[in-house]
Amino acid sequence: MHKADRLESFLVFIVVTVLLCLCSIWLLSHNYVNEFAMSRWAKVLSVLDSPEIRIEHLGLIYPHFPVYILMPFYYLPGLDSGAAPYFASLLVGAILIGTWNFHLAEKKYSLRVRILLILFVCSHPFFLWGVLTGAQHALSLLMFYWLYLALVRLVNVQDVRSFIMVGLALALYFFIDERTFYLFIALLPLISIIAPQRMLSESTSSVYLIIAAPLAISVASWAYLNWIFHDDAGLFLSSADSSFRGVWQDTPHVDWLRAYGGDFIVPTLVTGLYALLAYPVLLWLLYHAKRHRILLGSTLVLLLHPVVASGLATGNYFLSHPMDMIFLFSAGIMAGVVLIPRETRRARISLILLLALSSVTAWFVFPWYQTTDMQRWRTAVMGESLQDTSPGDIELGLWLKQNRQLTLLDDKAAYRVIVARGDARHLVLPFSSEYKVNLKYQWPKIEQIAVSEPGYVHDGQDYLNQRFPELYANGMPGYTLVYDYMHWRVYRRLSMRAGT
Amino acid sequence: MADHQDTGTDRPGEVPLGTLLVDSGVLEQDKLDQALTLQQQWGTRLGDILLAKGWVRAIDFYQTLARHNNLPFVNLLKEPLEAELLTEDDIDLYTEYLVVPWRRHNGRLTVLMADPGKRAMDFARQHFGKDVDFAVTSKFDIMWELQHNEDAYLSHQAVYALSEHDFEMSARQVFTGPQLLVIYLLLMLLLLSLTMFPIATLVTVNMLIAVFLLFNFGMRAILTWVGGDRHIDVKVTDNTVKTLDDKELPTYTILVPMYKEPEVIQYLAASLRQLDYPLSKLDIKLILEEDDEETIEAAKKLGLEGIFEIIRVPDSLPKTKPKACNYALHFARGEYVTIYDAEDRPEPDQLKKVIAAFRAAPDNTVCIQARLNYFNANENWLTRMFTLEYSLWFDFYLPALEALKIPIPLGGTSNHFKMEVLREVDAWDPFNVTEDADLGVRITQLGYRVGVVNSTTFEEANSRYGNWIRQRSRWIKGYMQTYLVHMRSPIELYRSLGHIGFWGFQFFIGGAVLSTLLAPILYFMYIFWLATDTHAYDIVFPPLVLYISLINLLVGNGYLIYLSMLGAFKRHLYYLIPFGLTMPLYWLMMSVAAYKALWQLIHNPFYWEKTLHGITSYNPDNNEHKAEDRA
């Protein structure tokens, strides 16, 4: 039975991969690109194309696991155009669906019912958004599925392994998704609902300590790495560029934060309502869990957890949109369906219908307070071609692809350039000693310098503009302007020019 | 002799023994009634119950038994046997049948027996010939006479049986020639390489250390994951124990080696009496050293019941616990045998759980290890750390080792054996200072299995630092000996243990030693780097080595601390969990002990570091006891 289930789940994985690939091609063919996906892919290119591959060159102000996942794709031919993050993301989504199918088969759900369940879960826009944006959301869905299974195991089995699973899920989550802090804090009060009451009454602090210690180890390890590589243990929390700080810098441009940022109660309530509209199937879970007392607590936790986390993250100006948190319900619902005993045909039909309804209602609530990225994604899904967000970056990337001299470039400003170029060979980037040495000189001794227009990087000046404030406008002695198009200029050393 | 023949002829054999005892005034009627009730319940003979309960004196009982069987009674203490009649090779048979040749008179041999019956008589006739007369004596006197007359032979056997039968398996020789050659060649290669390619060599060594530590940590993480499963935990349920029929339980030998612990004996006896096991099926050997007159006298004064027998171990070297146990094993009559230390407090149903576990286990399971933990966990920092360590070791690691079929290094006590196989493998190696760990590996190598049972024996945690170092250095030295013994033929070991077993042995036994030796060097390097911010290490830490080292430093150490917390969590010793954060200090102490062990392995390999027990200020029974010096 298990062998057959595994084979069938593998086939499900293949089919879902193909279907998601088609969806992804559709989106990309309509010019949808995700900034996060591009910046992470640029990091992969930068580090793997550098003469000395070092992890610290990736920077330590964002979770690394999504980048590590991308690294094998660097070596696959045909993915250098920047499609790798999207492919990796949908693969993880397909793995999640394959795993879910396996678990459903174990629960004796018929193939027909499973196909319908998978169809409606996969057609939910929040799920599609999660696995098709090329960001770390697909990994986050997978981790949330695991976390929720672990939490339910904690309710049902109450053995040490359950605690280890929850602790490890949170510890690993930290390296995948910066939302972990909020998910963890939101979980703290909810643990009292699901943890064994006997243990809680004997030693509440021990229960929390055992669950929290792995995450604490992860955070402490990360702080240590920040300290030894950047001399500041708290850099990942204090840096303005840190993804652990969310979108606080963009607050003026984020509708959701302008409306609810800094508050907790109201955004939590609003998120709760939003979640119920996007996932009416949650009511089905609650209703059926009620009949299995032991599952009621864990289902309540599922309902409250992302909502409370969303409220907390909004209160801290972290979250750009509640969907950024409640898309995790897709994984939670999958886990919930697995864990609630398979009941009558009527119950299964109502589940399928509510999942179908969720897929419909979610499309309607999707535009509410939508961010630019959500809006672009939705437009691309509708089949409208989008305009390039940064045509200047792409143009420079293509130009540098042809002019492969050793070029001084700040990847903070130029990640799109690197992705457009397709590789980072002969680029001298800020993590390299050559870059640092050149910035110490009064005038760099490098073949080319590519510099962005001051202020182009909206969340702060890049290193080159900080070091050479007049470079973009006036160039520098010994260099001549060889490229000037849409916020970017390239200066080339005179002797080099003479040589070329 | 005439006196003996007169005795017992005045009553017919068919008068029940109990009635005879009551009529003789050596047993009260109500005790007899109780004994008869117990007999129904336990399925053993009346005499065993009366002696086990101490309701009748041994001398009175055996005299009456002689009368009951119309046989003479011989008091061996007054009329000792003729030593030349004893045969060394038959000692185990004498013990099994409780039969011993006494004297030869007019061509007929008088055979003494403590259990006169058809079985013993058939054996005697078959073994000594048909011209034998029978007489009754006390089983305690038989044991004493055997010890008294055969101590040289028994001592020799206790020390050399294993090394004479299978030298390869004995730690009598610390390093074999090939091992010394390999060590020498490796050192030479290292020196040569350091001379020719110093940086590359240092990087390679650094890399090997980093990878080893990573795997070492990985192994422990896997063991904790496997050991954390609920299904691995509940092996024998209370219901299973309840369904065991006392009548079908076998005789169980309990070996209790002691040295200079006169105050403990009464508490030990009380603890063993509380075992939920038919007392008449217990065969408890108090193993005392011949020169330990204090304890011997204390035991005699207590007038312990018949289930307790004192075995005096003749003074000889090495004066170790395994030698004493090997010696006592000759007198053991149980189908199963276990070892407890004097201050052990096994859970009352442990023996029954072990029987149930043996019955449920595959036939080739010959040893079951109970869990060990400490009753004085909260006495001081050291006992807390020791308890954290033991909780992880016995509650996670050992069940996981069993599940993964990796050799289990047995703990010092509460390991339960099938007697027949224990004798077959020549029991414990007296030259190995962790003979129990060695035996666990040896048993597995011979194709048998070792299991773990969910029953705990509570011991006294070492509460003094010097004492702890002594004990730990002995343990680590023993692990070194065990590793060296079983790695004499690595290919053979690989064949006998399989892939998982072999690598499990490398990391669990060898890894435990090597990591404690490496730890202080790495700590020192790290602290030096912190203090000086030197770049001297950069050259030997290329990126890959650096990252693996960082994983070891951060994730490895972090999670090893976490694992120790889990041990306390599983045991519900919640107050100990925060102390897990201080585990690195405890590891440093282990390293001190490890270097002492290494020094001793070279200079004094068989020296048994004495550990003080009975020094705890904590007293769960509200009983005060102290001991000066015990092995």
Side-chain angles (χ1 to χ4, degrees):
Chain A
M1 176 63 184
H2 272 230
K3 198 175 175 184
D5 287 348
R6 271 194 284 270
L7 181 65
E8 189 198 276
S9 298
F10 181 70
L11 287 174
V12 167
F13 163 74
I14 297 292
V15 171
V16 173
T17 302
V18 171
L19 290 175
L20 290 176
C21 265
L22 292 174
C23 294
S24 194
I25 290 167
W26 172 267
L27 284 169
L28 297 178
S29 66
H30 290 88
N31 276 348
Y32 172 77
V33 284
N34 181 278
E35 297 293 311
F36 177 94
M38 270 201 291
S39 72
R40 297 299 180 263
W41 183 240
K43 285 284 181 195
V44 171
L45 295 177
S46 307
V47 169
L48 296 184
D49 278 336
S50 70
E52 191 182 32
I53 299 170
R54 301 194 70 120
I55 299 293
E56 60 269 32
H57 292 167
L58 289 168
L60 298 167
I61 53 174
Y62 59 92
H64 269 197
F65 201 75
V67 181
Y68 300 155
I69 288 279
L70 290 179
M71 285 185 170
F73 294 95
Y74 168 86
Y75 300 99
L76 289 182
L79 287 173
D80 56 353
S81 59
Y86 306 97
F87 187 56
S89 177
L90 68 87
L91 271 184
V92 173
I95 288 170
L96 173 61
I97 295 295
T99 309
W100 189 43
N101 177 73
F102 181 77
H103 288 154
L104 288 175
E106 277 188 330
K107 284 276 181 176
K108 312 282 185 219
Y109 277 93
S110 69
L111 181 63
R112 194 173 56 183
V113 173
R114 275 182 279 144
I115 289 172
L116 288 171
L117 290 173
I118 290 171
L119 179 71
F120 289 122
V121 163
C122 288
S123 61
H124 196 283
F126 289 17
F127 176 84
L128 285 174
W129 182 78
V131 299
L132 295 178
T133 49
Q136 85 281 43
H137 297 89
L139 273 171
S140 200
L141 280 169
L142 190 62
M143 282 308 303
F144 195 78
Y145 184 72
W146 181 22
L147 176 67
Y148 190 63
L149 287 181
L151 287 172
V152 175
R153 186 190 156 98
L154 188 67
V155 176
N156 289 336
V157 184
Q158 303 186 358
D159 63 353
V160 183
R161 189 184 279 184
S162 314
F163 285 89
I164 299 174
M165 280 176 74
V166 175
L168 284 183
L170 289 167
L172 194 55
Y173 220 138
F174 173 78
F175 294 109
I176 287 173
D177 196 327
E178 46 285 271
R179 277 170 284 230
T180 309
F181 282 128
Y182 298 99
L183 287 170
F184 173 68
I185 295 167
L187 188 62
L188 289 178
L190 302 176
I191 282 173
S192 62
I193 298 175
I194 51 172
Q197 293 305 308
R198 183 179 51 81
M199 285 187 190
L200 281 172
S201 60
E202 282 181 41
S203 177
T204 311
S205 59
S206 300
V207 171
Y208 280 97
L209 196 56
I210 290 297
I211 288 176
L215 176 62
I217 292 169
S218 292
V219 177
S221 301
W222 203 245
Y224 182 85
L225 293 179
N226 274 261
W227 176 62
I228 60 165
F229 291 123
H230 299 298
D231 293 328
D232 180 1
L235 184 73
F236 70 109
L237 294 175
S238 62
S239 169
D241 302 333
S242 171
S243 70
F244 290 99
R245 298 186 66 178
V247 295
W248 66 281
Q249 285 196 110
D250 295 330
T251 300
H253 313 290
V254 178
D255 294 344
W256 170 253
L257 285 182
R258 274 195 282 124
Y260 298 108
D263 195 3
F264 169 67
I265 304 288
V266 178
T268 305
L269 294 173
V270 172
T271 304
L273 185 63
Y274 185 78
L276 285 176
L277 289 172
Y279 292 99
V281 69
L282 288 171
L283 296 172
W284 183 93
L285 281 180
L286 198 59
Y287 175 76
H288 284 272
K290 188 165 62 70
R291 295 168 59 181
H292 304 278
R293 205 167 152 266
I294 201 163
L295 290 176
L296 183 61
S298 51
T299 308
L300 270 174
V301 169
L302 168 67
L303 285 174
L304 294 171
H305 188 199
V307 173
V308 175
S310 174
L312 287 167
T314 304
N316 205 31
Y317 295 97
F318 177 91
L319 209 61
S320 60
H321 192 275
M323 192 183 71
D324 259 348
M325 200 66 87
I326 64 166
F327 81 100
L328 295 171
F329 273 128
S330 291
I333 288 163
M334 288 158 76
V337 172
V338 168
L339 295 161
I340 289 175
R342 196 179 71 105
E343 289 177 331
T344 59
R345 188 165 176 266
R346 199 170 149 190
R348 288 197 293 280
I349 290 172
S350 61
L351 168 65
I352 291 166
L353 287 176
L354 279 166
L355 274 175
L357 179 67
S358 301
S359 298
V360 176
T361 55
W363 282 110
F364 284 102
V365 297
F366 194 91
W368 186 71
Y369 278 114
Q370 63 186 343
T371 60
T372 311
D373 184 60
M374 287 166 68
Q375 188 259 323
R376 287 175 59 79
W377 185 84
R378 188 165 161 272
T379 307
V381 169
M382 297 298 185
E384 281 181 47
S385 284
L386 299 164
Q387 287 192 333
D388 288 335
T389 49
S390 313
D393 292 16
I394 294 166
E395 197 58 39
L396 175 65
L398 296 173
W399 188 85
L400 286 173
K401 196 173 185 175
Q402 303 301 320
N403 297 269
R404 302 187 70 81
Q405 285 89 346
L406 217 53
T407 306
L408 205 61
L409 182 73
D410 186 348
D411 59 345
K412 180 183 167 187
Y415 60 88
R416 300 184 199 93
V417 176
I418 295 170
V419 172
R421 188 174 186 258
D423 68 77
R425 284 183 283 273
H426 304 112
L427 294 181
V428 179
L429 300 169
F431 56 73
S432 68
S433 50
E434 197 176 353
Y435 186 96
K436 287 163 192 160
V437 167
N438 271 292
L439 256 65
K440 281 183 182 170
Y441 296 142
Q442 189 179 3
W443 297 303
K445 295 171 182 170
I446 192 97
E447 293 169 15
Q448 281 185 159
I449 305 173
V451 61
S452 63
E453 186 179 359
Y456 179 59
V457 184
H458 72 265
D459 54 353
Q461 294 284 67
D462 60 43
Y463 291 124
L464 284 170
N465 277 308
Q466 284 175 44
R467 174 67 183 86
F468 308 110
E470 298 298 317
L471 176 61
Y472 183 84
N474 304 320
M476 64 172 57
Y479 285 84
T480 185
L481 184 67
V482 290
Y483 177 89
D484 182 7
Y485 180 70
M486 291 190 76
H487 314 293
W488 285 99
R489 287 178 181 174
V490 179
Y491 293 94
R492 188 173 292 170
R493 276 184 86 176
L494 285 170
S495 56
M496 287 306 301
R497 191 164 176 257
T500 53
Chain B
M1 188 68 184
D3 288 346
H4 306 309
Q5 283 169 342
D6 289 343
T7 311
T9 55
D10 56 346
R11 290 289 181 108
E14 57 268 20
V15 176
L17 179 63
T19 308
L20 212 53
L21 287 163
V22 173
D23 290 352
S24 307
V26 296
L27 176 67
E28 295 165 12
Q29 182 62 46
D30 67 318
K31 297 290 185 203
L32 175 62
D33 295 339
Q34 287 180 47
L36 289 170
T37 307
L38 286 174
Q39 190 181 22
Q40 295 293 316
Q41 192 182 325
W42 292 350
T44 50
R45 284 170 309 178
L46 183 68
D48 291 333
I49 297 169
L50 293 172
L51 288 171
K53 285 286 185 180
W55 287 338
V56 61
R57 290 196 314 151
I59 182 88
D60 295 336
F61 172 76
Y62 283 105
Q63 280 179 348
T64 311
L65 183 66
R67 286 166 56 202
H68 176 70
N69 286 281
N70 290 325
L71 290 172
F73 175 78
V74 171
N75 186 338
L76 273 175
L77 297 180
K78 291 180 181 168
E79 297 172 277
L81 55 75
E82 291 168 4
E84 61 274 15
L85 292 174
L86 295 174
T87 313
E88 290 172 347
D89 293 341
D90 292 338
I91 289 172
D92 290 345
L93 291 172
Y94 301 152
T95 308
E96 184 184 345
Y97 291 94
L98 291 173
V99 163
V100 67
W102 181 49
R103 289 179 185 178
R104 197 174 283 282
H105 187 70
N106 293 335
R108 289 183 72 81
L109 177 71
T110 301
V111 173
L112 303 182
M113 53 185 70
D115 186 11
K118 188 171 181 309
R119 178 173 172 266
M121 288 178 177
D122 286 351
F123 162 73
R125 288 194 184 100
Q126 191 183 357
H127 196 74
F128 301 111
K130 290 191 175 173
D131 294 334
V132 291
D133 295 322
F134 295 109
V136 173
T137 191
S138 158
K139 69 174 177 180
F140 306 106
D141 293 346
I142 290 179
M143 295 299 156
W144 166 245
E145 279 291 288
L146 289 175
Q147 287 179 63
H148 180 69
N149 289 291
E150 297 293 339
D151 62 346
Y153 169 76
L154 293 173
S155 288
H156 180 87
Q157 284 295 101
V159 176
Y160 297 108
L162 176 65
S163 61
E164 286 174 357
H165 291 166
D166 191 351
F167 191 76
E168 277 277 293
M169 285 288 184
S170 166
R172 192 172 165 189
Q173 185 179 12
V174 182
F175 296 98
T176 60
Q179 282 178 331
L180 285 173
L181 184 65
V182 168
I183 293 170
Y184 173 78
L185 288 176
L186 283 176
L187 279 175
M188 285 303 105
L189 184 68
L190 181 66
L191 285 173
L192 191 68
S193 183
L194 272 173
T195 312
M196 295 174 69
F197 318 103
I199 301 302
T201 307
L202 285 174
V203 169
T204 307
V205 170
N206 205 8
M207 181 73 174
L208 288 174
I209 290 171
V211 170
F212 157 73
L213 290 174
L214 185 69
F215 277 91
N216 201 36
F217 156 67
M219 161 112 184
R220 275 152 180 75
I222 290 169
L223 291 179
T224 308
W225 176 255
V226 175
D229 186 9
R230 188 178 60 127
H231 300 294
I232 214 166
D233 223 21
V234 183
K235 194 162 188 173
V236 180
T237 62
D238 291 344
N239 278 339
T240 310
V241 170
K242 279 179 194 164
T243 57
L244 289 176
D245 184 355
D246 283 352
K247 288 179 191 163
E248 292 174 7
L249 292 174
T251 306
Y252 219 115
T253 296
I254 297 174
L255 303 179
V256 189
M258 306 170 78
Y259 189 56
K260 295 192 175 173
E261 300 171 87
E263 297 90 345
V264 181
I265 288 192
Q266 56 178 314
Y267 308 117
L268 165 73
S271 174
L272 293 177
R273 279 187 206 109
Q274 285 172 3
L275 286 172
D276 174 21
Y277 204 84
L279 285 183
S280 56
K281 292 183 176 181
L282 290 180
D283 169 36
I284 301 171
K285 310 291 188 198
L286 303 179
I287 311 170
L288 309 174
E289 296 286 337
E290 194 177 48
D291 62 354
D292 184 10
E293 289 173 7
E294 262 182 300
T295 315
I296 293 172
E297 281 308 308
K300 279 184 181 173
K301 271 184 195 167
L302 282 175
L304 295 167
E305 304 93 308
I307 50 171
F308 295 94
E309 287 176 31
I310 296 172
I311 305 290
R312 297 177 212 214
V313 183
D315 199 14
S316 68
L317 291 174
K319 200 169 184 172
T320 60
K321 177 176 154 185
K323 187 201 74 176
C325 289
N326 284 346
Y327 184 88
L329 206 59
H330 288 287
F331 307 103
R333 292 188 301 279
E335 193 178 323
Y336 295 94
V337 57
T338 188
I339 299 180
Y340 290 129
D341 280 345
E343 59 287 323
D344 281 1
R345 288 172 174 81
E347 285 180 341
D349 62 353
Q350 185 170 110
L351 301 186
K352 283 188 173 176
K353 275 192 170 172
V354 171
I355 295 294
F358 267 123
R359 286 178 183 172
D363 283 346
N364 66 340
T365 302
V366 298
C367 175
I368 302 268
Q369 169 75 58
R371 295 173 184 183
L372 302 180
N373 215 290
Y374 294 119
F375 56 72
N376 61 330
N378 207 20
E379 187 170 349
N380 59 27
W381 178 81
L382 191 56
T383 60
R384 288 183 190 112
M385 304 313 288
F386 214 163
T387 308
L388 284 175
E389 184 193 10
Y390 253 40
S391 299
L392 181 62
W393 187 270
F394 284 97
D395 296 351
F396 282 91
Y397 287 172
L398 294 201
L401 290 177
E402 182 197 8
L404 297 172
K405 295 180 181 160
I406 294 170
I408 295 179
L410 298 172
T413 77
S414 306
N415 23 61
H416 303 253
F417 299 92
K418 285 180 179 168
M419 179 75 82
E420 192 183 349
V421 178
L422 183 62
R423 285 180 168 146
E424 177 192 311
V425 300
D426 292 314
W428 298 274
D429 181 358
F431 293 99
N432 191 314
V433 292
T434 50
E435 74 294 343
D436 27 43
D438 167 72
L439 182 56
V441 181
R442 178 151 40 98
I443 283 174
T444 313
Q445 224 187 322
L446 291 169
Y448 296 112
R449 287 188 66 176
V450 178
V452 181
V453 73
N454 54 319
S455 174
T456 303
T457 298
F458 291 93
E459 301 187 295
E460 177 196 346
N462 210 325
S463 55
R464 291 184 192 166
Y465 294 89
N467 204 33
W468 184 93
I469 292 285
R470 281 197 294 278
Q471 184 184 48
R472 187 52 59 111
S473 68
R474 175 169 65 78
W475 291 359
I476 296 175
K477 183 171 72 175
Y479 267 43
M480 291 172 178
Q481 288 179 311
T482 303
Y483 186 80
L484 288 169
V485 165
H486 295 280
M487 281 298 284
R488 285 172 182 171
S489 307
I491 295 171
E492 193 56 43
L493 185 71
Y494 197 88
R495 279 190 190 136
S496 58
L497 298 183
H499 313 296
I500 296 177
F502 179 82
W503 289 110
F505 172 80
Q506 298 302 320
F507 283 100
F508 202 71
I509 307 284
V513 174
L514 186 55
S515 58
T516 49
L517 289 171
L518 287 171
I521 299 169
L522 299 176
Y523 282 152
F524 172 78
M525 285 174 67
Y526 179 64
I527 291 166
F528 183 75
W529 174 78
L530 279 181
T532 62
D533 205 17
T534 177
H535 289 278
Y537 301 151
D538 292 2
I539 201 160
V540 291
F541 278 94
L544 186 59
V545 181
L546 177 68
Y547 301 141
I548 297 174
S549 301
L550 280 170
I551 290 171
N552 289 334
L553 176 71
L554 303 169
V555 182
N557 283 314
Y559 274 88
L560 286 175
I561 289 171
Y562 181 61
L563 300 188
S564 69
M565 292 173 164
L566 286 173
F569 188 69
K570 191 175 179 182
R571 270 269 156 194
H572 303 290
L573 300 171
Y574 300 119
Y575 62 94
L576 290 181
I577 291 176
F579 288 94
L581 294 170
T582 62
M583 198 43 94
L585 295 174
Y586 189 69
W587 295 336
L588 268 182
M589 285 176 59
M590 279 192 199
S591 295
V592 173
Y595 278 96
K596 184 178 177 187
L598 184 62
W599 176 259
Q600 279 197 0
L601 180 75
I602 296 163
H603 291 276
N604 202 358
F606 311 125
Y607 176 66
W608 187 280
E609 278 277 13
K610 295 278 190 287
T611 310
L612 286 172
H613 292 274
I615 52 178
T616 176
S617 56
Y618 176 82
N619 202 323
D621 300 334
N622 200 24
N623 293 326
E624 294 298 327
H625 67 263
K626 284 181 181 175
E628 289 172 6
D629 188 16
R630 298 169 203 166

